[in-house]
Amino acid sequence: MYEQFYRLREKPFGMLPDPDFIYWSQGHSMAYTMLEYGVINNAGFTVITGDIGCGKTTLIRFLLKQFQQSVTVGLLSNTDIKEGELLRWVMMAFDQPFEQQSRMAVFHDFQRFLIDQYSQQKRTILIVDEAQNFSAATLEELRMLSNINADKDQLIQIILVGQPELRKLLQSPGLVQFVQRISSNFHLVPLELNEVYDYVRYRVSQAGGVADLFSRQACRLVADASKGVPRTINLLCDTALVYAYSVEARYVSSSLMATVIADKKMYGLSSG
């Protein structure tokens, strides 16, 4: 809609995770380092936590893009799993057959699948999204599945991604053995004020636009309203570009951004 007016190749503030637009804040850089370390060093478990919209999924996608030729990935996004059903969901995540078989037969097929990937010199990575919804019992099942190995090599690596509640869950007394298997972890926090300004400029430039399309004062308002959460920043900035385009403004001023934020509070779903 506004892309041509502002000479943008694409929308700079899309709501879907896009590894091509990742902004390397200090926190995101460290989180990625821990993820990369876990993959390269065959970590049994890697845990990445953070508030909603802080960029966890974008980091995971960037990671997989770097290793796409050498890994087999399964994504487990359904975390409402009954006790004893985890293995079947894991097999489904890797697009492996699991129906009409006993649990023992499914486990045998799972072992064979991991060994086959290992023989092809491929890393097998299971990513569990929204892992804070797992029960302690299901996490323990996951730990047992991770015990499959070949000599000193781990045959499956597991990345748990979740909200801050996951950290509390992992501190449960019954998960001591599980926590001992976590080789790499990091908690992702919102952006600082100065990072929000750089974030906005970076994404506009990445989309082919002029870096100062948003005034510094407008970015300050965005930082305050979003509390530094990237997803909320994207929502406010995208809306601001629509508003600016509607009045043919050449840049987003603080007054225009203030109007966007006020309208979001009054007419939108925002309560902040």
Side-chain angles (χ1 to χ4, degrees):
M1 179 178 178
Y2 54 69
E3 292 94 316
Q4 185 175 359
F5 184 77
Y6 292 112
R7 298 181 181 178
L8 298 163
R9 290 190 301 270
E10 56 187 311
K11 292 177 65 174
F13 300 103
M15 297 304 293
L16 295 178
D18 187 344
D20 291 333
F21 275 84
I22 193 166
Y23 167 70
W24 294 108
S25 69
Q26 183 176 354
H28 287 79
S29 295
M30 184 57 69
Y32 181 75
T33 297
M34 299 307 289
L35 278 168
E36 187 178 44
Y37 173 83
V39 171
I40 292 175
N41 289 278
N42 282 312
F45 286 90
T46 298
V47 176
I48 298 294
T49 56
D51 290 324
I52 296 172
C54 277
K56 302 182 296 293
T57 302
T58 305
L59 278 175
I60 294 295
R61 292 194 176 184
F62 184 86
L63 175 80
L64 297 180
K65 191 175 180 180
Q66 309 313 304
F67 289 92
Q68 59 183 341
Q69 300 300 323
S70 59
V71 301
T72 299
V73 178
L75 174 62
L76 186 58
S77 53
N78 174 30
T79 49
D80 183 21
I81 298 174
K82 295 179 181 178
E83 190 171 344
E85 290 296 313
L86 176 65
L87 178 57
R88 295 183 184 277
W89 282 98
V90 170
M91 289 290 279
M92 186 188 301
F94 287 110
D95 198 26
Q96 296 297 303
F98 63 91
E99 297 174 330
Q100 299 178 345
Q101 297 184 74
S102 67
R103 178 176 170 79
M104 184 173 295
V106 175
F107 183 74
H108 175 73
D109 287 347
F110 180 58
Q111 281 185 306
R112 187 168 54 189
F113 165 72
L114 293 181
I115 292 170
D116 178 63
Q117 296 302 304
Y118 180 75
S119 68
Q120 297 179 45
Q121 297 185 325
K122 281 194 168 186
R123 302 174 189 271
T124 302
I125 300 177
L126 175 67
I127 299 171
V128 181
D129 201 8
E130 301 296 341
Q132 75 277 355
N133 296 325
F134 264 3
S135 65
T138 304
L139 283 176
E140 183 59 19
E141 280 189 72
L142 197 60
R143 184 183 71 83
M144 297 301 292
L145 290 182
S146 72
N147 285 335
I148 304 171
N149 54 62
D151 297 324
K152 295 181 179 181
D153 292 329
Q154 194 87 26
L155 290 190
I156 184 169
Q157 296 172 250
I158 300 172
I159 299 175
L160 300 181
V161 183
Q163 296 172 31
E165 291 79 7
L166 177 58
R167 300 173 75 191
K168 297 178 182 178
L169 175 60
L170 292 174
Q171 292 169 356
S172 303
L175 290 174
V176 173
Q177 283 186 295
F178 187 97
V179 172
Q180 290 174 346
R181 300 286 296 278
I182 298 173
S183 303
S184 180
N185 69 92
F186 192 80
H187 181 69
L188 200 57
V189 298
L191 302 176
E192 299 288 342
L193 172 61
N194 64 305
E195 291 179 322
V196 172
Y197 178 64
D198 290 341
Y199 174 89
V200 172
R201 289 172 60 84
Y202 169 77
R203 291 192 70 115
V204 170
S205 297
Q206 192 73 355
V210 179
D212 57 1
L213 182 56
F214 288 74
S215 72
R216 183 178 288 273
Q217 292 77 14
C219 291
R220 181 178 291 275
L221 292 176
V222 171
D224 290 340
S226 67
K227 298 179 174 58
V229 175
R231 188 180 299 170
T232 307
I233 296 170
N234 287 3
L235 176 62
L236 292 174
C237 289
D238 183 62
T239 305
L241 286 175
V242 175
Y243 276 45
Y245 170 74
S246 71
V247 296
E248 298 187 353
R250 286 298 171 183
Y251 72 99
V252 176
S253 65
S254 59
S255 59
L256 189 146
M257 183 57 75
T259 300
V260 170
I261 293 169
D263 285 355
K264 283 290 183 184
K265 290 180 179 179
M266 182 174 293
Y267 306 114
L269 299 176
S270 172
S271 59

